[in-house]
Amino acid sequence: MRRAGTGTGGAAVAVAVAVPLLLLLSRSPPAAAGDGKKSDARLVSEQFSQAPQKLAFYSWYGSARLFHFRVPPDTVLLRWLLQVSRGSGPTCTNMEITVYFRYGAPPVINPLGTSFPDNTSVQPSFLLKMLHSNASVNISHPAPGDWFVAAHLPPSSHKIEVKGFVPTCAYIFQPDMLVMRVVEVSILEPDVPFPQTLLSHPSYLKVFVPEYTQELRLELQGCASNGSLGCPVRLTVGSATLPGNFQKVLTCSGPTQACRLLLPSPPWDRWLQVTAKSLAGPRVSVAFSAVAALTACRPWSVNFQHLLQSSPNQSSNASTGLLPPTPSYQDLDRRGRVGGGPFCLRSFPVLREDVDVVSVRFQPLDRVSVLVQSDMPSVMRLNLNTGMDSGGSLTISMRVNKTAIANTSVVACVTAASPLLSFNASLSCTTAFFQGHPLSLSASSPTANLIIPYPETDNWYLSLQLMCPERPEECEQASVLVETTLYLVPCLNDCGPYGQCLLLRRHGYLYAGCSCKAGWRGWSCTDNSTAQTAAQQKAAALLLTLSNLVFLAPIAISVHRSLLVEASVYAYTMFFSTFYHACDQPGEAVLCILNYDTLQYCDFLGSGVSIWVTILCMARLKAALKYVLFLLGALVFAMSLQLDRRAAWNTMGPCLFAIVVMVTMWVYRCGRRRHCYPPSWQRWVFYLLPGISMAAVAITIYTSMMTSDNYYYTHSIWHMLLAGSAAFLLPPREQHTKPWACSQKLTCHYEICKNHRDELYTVT
């Protein structure tokens, strides 16, 4: 058994060698209070699986394979069964596989150790490194909802491999999720004691926390044990999440009869799991009464009824009936009371505007700025619980006028599930089960920014409050307007000038990632530790584009030898290869005359057809047969590139067929003429051998020497060798053909014939 990875909090996670499914289902499961037979009836087991995926070496986030699961409510045990299978070829060896787990959103990973953009908040990932074929991960009392698993092979060597040319090993990864959940859970009603008796099995309870709950107090009353003093009970509140786990554990082992747990800002509008377990012996009973008390929070909502009343299609009575009457700013006194009722937060309604896929804009409903005072926090709720919002990046920007915040400061806290309702002097940004993201505004720093990649699926809250650390009395009459800019974007700044934002999909789930270029790395392509300089980028662009000018040599030779079809193919290849590589460059050195995908397709098509026509031209076929094969080869290349553009055999297959045709024709001529073909030794020494050598070197470079670091000059050499080999390998012109002249003999042409009877000329 081997445990690997890092975790935060106190998650009850164990990593062990996987056991068969039968072993998991046959062993005695965790039981609720009561006898063994009744406890077994309360537990059910379920299994969920997804189709396996082929793992890839890591180079960017799209290299990781993502799996999306949903854990049902009232789950007491979650087990991941991680299965890896590999091929049986000679290249298959033991490979380290890294697996990540996260609740609520895809895991934010950084295997390459690159830097994140400024103001980005990232939690450490919980990961497992697998050296064996199978492994398992157990999580007790997992949070219900979305869970994500990501896996990848070690970082890639940046070598550009031709697909299908070199045998590779396939590593297949498949996670299975097994859950054990309670079908009968006792419900704690607020302020109603619930008696319980524990023997050897734990008791599973749950309490519903409604919206605007300021505080939750759990208490064990009248606790008594027949075999020991005190109250030997361990109370676990909340669900386990990864990478951070904030479950609360209360051990009631003292002689006091009352044991309580206070939870400020518990998660709103959801069930909260409570597990009570006896710490006494197996035959010792512990009796107690569980009590849950909720402290309600009365929100003061900003009045926006005037927006509804100002609409010409909305009557005054209708708009008044939509919203309850809310007090204005003048009705709210400094103690936060209206008509004697206390308020604990100032709620600003937020408009959610869906812009595009994984792209949302949030703004206050009737104002640009948010009023912030010192008596209570101002809260904005960001609805990110649609299930499709966790695949982007949440960006929060705040700005305040320097003159309005001269002797004060504004503190803010971004949390999920529930807002922070009590700002203290330590400026702790922590709710009952969530570690928030703190922000602050002052005269010296009037702006604040926060980036949260892959936010959890939940309601997020932005809480702001005015603070006067030196002179608290100055805050009593002070108020500040804070301008907020809230967005959910697929990629931050669209990955910048040296990256491309790509939308990834796993079944129906969409998420975004950045693919970087020119040596830039990082989550948003902002890490320039290995980036190319501007001079290197320009040199790369010039090499990749100007190297195609070598095709002018085979074009000129083809025209000189009356090979016009071959010349047109080389011209086509030179044109599209030049502009494809001009469009493929990052940063400022980019020029796209057509769609990138169109340019790439035309470049690949031109390269393959150029090799095809060169080999067939060397075969010295009859004109009719040669042009038919030219056309059929071009059609086959067009079809194969549409099927798989980067497969090696889509290009090598037709070319090998052309070589067979050429060799067959040469052998036929050798047997017919009774001497070697081509007959001239000068043709072999000065043309064929150099051309074949250049083609062999070009194939070697293309298949085994290209990497992402040396691509710009190795691929340029490939351009020059390909064009140079075509210039050497083209056959000489026919003896009866004049240089720079077109063939006068066409296989299919019109003849003008004279009809002596009618004295007319007809075209036949």
Side-chain angles (χ1 to χ4, degrees):
M1 183 171 63
R2 181 176 183 269
R3 176 168 180 170
T6 58
T8 57
V13 179
V15 179
V17 178
V19 296
L21 174 62
L22 182 62
L23 177 61
L24 174 66
L25 299 181
S26 61
R27 73 179 183 88
S28 299
D35 58 12
K37 296 182 180 179
K38 186 177 179 181
S39 301
D40 293 339
R42 294 183 179 184
L43 296 172
V44 295
S45 299
E46 297 176 340
Q47 181 179 6
F48 303 89
S49 181
Q50 288 190 8
Q53 297 189 66
K54 181 180 177 181
L55 298 180
F57 292 95
Y58 187 86
S59 59
W60 66 294
Y61 199 88
S63 307
R65 300 296 177 254
L66 188 68
F67 298 85
H68 181 199
F69 294 89
R70 287 194 63 86
V71 175
D74 303 328
T75 298
V76 296
L77 179 63
L78 166 63
R79 168 167 290 185
W80 301 104
L81 295 180
L82 310 177
Q83 305 176 24
V84 178
S85 60
R86 66 184 185 186
S88 58
T91 59
C92 294
T93 58
N94 289 331
M95 190 70 65
E96 184 181 73
I97 299 173
T98 307
V99 186
Y100 302 85
F101 303 87
R102 190 186 177 192
Y103 165 76
V108 180
I109 62 179
N110 188 19
L112 302 179
T114 57
S115 62
F116 285 84
D118 296 335
N119 306 312
T120 302
S121 179
V122 180
Q123 291 183 340
S125 300
F126 180 88
L127 59 90
L128 165 70
K129 292 185 179 296
M130 296 175 55
L131 296 177
H132 306 285
S133 59
N134 296 319
S136 68
V137 176
N138 297 338
I139 303 176
S140 300
H141 306 289
D146 296 332
W147 281 79
F148 292 85
V149 179
H152 63 79
L153 295 176
S156 64
S157 60
H158 302 288
K159 183 179 179 180
I160 301 176
E161 296 181 351
V162 181
K163 184 178 179 180
F165 187 79
V166 179
T168 57
C169 184
Y171 295 87
I172 308 299
F173 178 77
Q174 180 179 14
D176 292 338
M177 184 181 74
L178 282 75
V179 298
M180 192 172 294
R181 61 185 181 90
V182 185
V183 294
E184 295 181 9
V185 183
S186 302
I187 297 178
L188 287 177
E189 297 183 4
D191 300 322
V192 177
F194 188 80
Q196 286 283 291
T197 300
L198 298 179
L199 291 174
S200 57
H201 302 298
S203 176
Y204 298 104
L205 313 171
K206 65 179 179 180
V207 57
F208 184 77
V209 181
E211 194 174 6
Y212 301 115
T213 299
Q214 186 174 7
E215 191 176 73
L216 170 63
R217 186 179 73 254
L218 294 173
E219 185 174 355
L220 302 184
Q221 298 177 353
C223 185
S225 173
N226 61 357
S228 61
L229 298 176
C231 184
V233 176
R234 176 179 297 165
L235 204 64
T236 304
V237 184
S239 302
T241 60
L242 294 178
N245 180 37
F246 297 92
Q247 283 181 310
K248 305 298 181 182
V249 179
L250 176 64
T251 302
C252 304
S253 57
T256 60
Q257 294 186 351
C259 183
R260 62 178 59 91
L261 178 65
L262 194 62
L263 299 174
S265 299
W268 288 356
D269 200 19
R270 69 191 62 190
W271 291 97
L272 193 63
Q273 295 184 2
V274 180
T275 303
K277 184 178 181 180
S278 174
L279 299 179
R283 297 183 180 180
V284 179
S285 63
V286 180
F288 62 90
S289 294
V291 181
L294 301 175
T295 302
C297 172
R298 187 179 178 188
W300 177 72
S301 299
V302 176
N303 191 353
F304 58 93
Q305 293 182 12
H306 63 276
L307 291 178
L308 303 177
Q309 295 173 354
S310 63
S311 174
N313 299 326
Q314 193 74 262
S315 64
S316 177
N317 294 334
S319 63
T320 304
L322 288 174
L323 295 171
T326 53
S328 62
Y329 285 112
Q330 290 78 11
D331 298 331
L332 185 64
D333 62 10
R334 300 312 305 174
R335 294 177 299 172
R337 296 175 178 269
V338 176
F343 292 92
C344 63
L345 64 91
R346 185 179 291 105
S347 177
F348 286 84
V350 177
L351 173 66
R352 174 191 166 107
E353 179 183 358
D354 292 298
V355 180
D356 204 341
V357 180
V358 201
S359 182
V360 181
R361 178 171 59 188
F362 300 95
Q363 58 183 357
L365 196 59
D366 63 339
R367 61 185 69 241
V368 177
S369 302
V370 176
L371 180 68
V372 180
Q373 294 179 333
S374 62
D375 53 349
M376 69 181 73
S378 299
V379 178
M380 302 173 65
R381 183 176 66 178
L382 311 180
N383 183 2
L384 294 176
N385 59 357
T386 64
M388 299 298 295
D389 301 325
S390 57
S393 296
L394 178 62
T395 62
I396 298 176
S397 299
M398 300 188 302
R399 188 174 68 88
V400 69
N401 194 346
K402 290 183 179 181
T403 58
I405 198 172
N407 298 322
T408 59
S409 62
V410 174
V411 292
C413 181
V414 181
T415 56
S418 62
L420 181 67
L421 300 178
S422 58
F423 287 87
N424 50 29
S426 62
L427 304 180
S428 176
C429 183
T430 304
T431 59
F433 300 101
F434 190 84
Q435 174 60 51
H437 309 276
L439 294 170
S440 63
L441 297 171
S442 61
S444 59
S445 57
T447 60
N449 300 287
L450 176 65
I451 303 169
I452 304 176
Y454 294 162
E456 297 178 7
T457 298
D458 213 326
N459 284 323
W460 285 73
Y461 296 88
L462 173 61
S463 305
L464 304 98
Q465 191 165 349
L466 193 64
M467 302 287 288
C468 298
E470 298 180 356
R471 298 179 181 180
E473 62 276 2
E474 295 182 359
C475 286
E476 295 182 359
Q477 302 297 328
S479 62
V480 176
L481 292 177
V482 178
E483 296 182 7
T484 59
T485 304
L486 311 170
Y487 282 96
L488 177 71
V489 295
C491 303
L492 183 64
N493 296 328
D494 202 22
C495 300
Y498 300 103
Q500 183 180 9
C501 183
L502 299 177
L503 197 62
L504 308 173
R505 182 177 66 88
R506 173 59 178 167
H507 296 315
Y509 180 76
L510 299 175
Y511 58 106
C514 287
S515 178
C516 307
K517 301 179 181 179
W520 290 75
R521 305 188 304 168
W523 188 263
S524 300
C525 302
T526 55
D527 189 343
N528 61 352
S529 58
T530 60
Q532 297 178 0
T533 63
Q536 289 176 331
Q537 296 177 32
K538 293 179 181 179
L542 291 176
L543 280 174
L544 289 171
T545 53
L546 297 183
S547 60
N548 289 283
L549 296 179
V550 182
F551 276 98
L552 292 174
I555 292 173
I557 294 173
S558 300
V559 174
H560 180 265
R561 298 176 183 177
S562 302
L563 304 173
L564 298 184
V565 176
E566 291 83 345
S568 62
V569 172
Y570 299 144
Y572 176 93
T573 304
M574 180 184 68
F575 178 84
F576 281 104
S577 180
T578 299
F579 285 100
Y580 162 65
H581 288 290
C583 185
D584 193 39
Q585 300 305 308
E588 301 177 355
V590 61
L591 174 64
C592 296
I593 62 172
L594 291 175
N595 179 269
Y596 175 84
D597 188 71
T598 302
L599 291 173
Q600 186 186 68
Y601 180 85
C602 294
D603 173 50
F604 287 15
L605 178 63
S607 300
V609 176
S610 297
I611 301 174
W612 171 261
V613 299
T614 302
I615 299 174
L616 290 180
C617 188
M618 296 171 61
R620 291 281 193 171
L621 301 171
K622 291 184 178 181
L625 179 59
K626 182 178 74 170
Y627 295 132
V628 168
L629 291 178
F630 280 1
L631 180 58
L632 290 178
L635 295 177
V636 171
F637 273 108
M639 178 198 66
S640 61
L641 292 176
Q642 182 65 28
L643 294 175
D644 192 347
R645 196 168 298 179
R646 298 188 178 276
W649 291 104
N650 288 350
T651 301
M652 295 179 61
C655 293
L656 290 177
F657 175 78
I659 292 175
V660 171
V661 173
M662 181 194 70
V663 172
T664 302
M665 294 303 300
W666 283 15
V667 171
Y668 170 75
R669 289 190 177 94
C670 289
R672 184 179 180 182
R673 300 179 182 183
R674 302 304 178 94
H675 59 77
C676 183
Y677 182 86
S680 174
W681 66 269
Q682 293 91 342
R683 181 69 187 169
W684 282 95
V685 173
F686 297 110
Y687 294 96
L688 293 181
L689 292 181
I692 295 173
S693 301
M694 295 175 68
V697 174
I699 293 175
T700 303
I701 293 176
Y702 187 80
T703 56
S704 61
M705 297 180 61
M706 284 190 186
T707 64
S708 57
D709 297 329
N710 64 11
Y711 173 79
Y712 66 95
Y713 59 84
T714 53
H715 199 76
S716 300
I717 296 174
W718 152 262
H719 287 164
M720 294 184 287
L721 291 176
L722 181 64
S725 63
F728 277 98
L729 295 176
L730 283 173
R733 67 178 184 273
E734 299 291 344
Q735 296 180 357
H736 63 276
T737 304
K738 297 181 180 180
W740 309 101
C742 298
S743 177
Q744 301 296 324
K745 184 178 180 180
L746 301 178
T747 57
C748 296
H749 60 279
Y750 294 106
E751 295 181 358
I752 300 179
C753 302
K754 183 177 181 180
N755 192 323
H756 297 280
R757 178 181 299 180
D758 296 332
E759 296 292 333
L760 294 175
Y761 288 88
T762 6
V763 177
T764 61

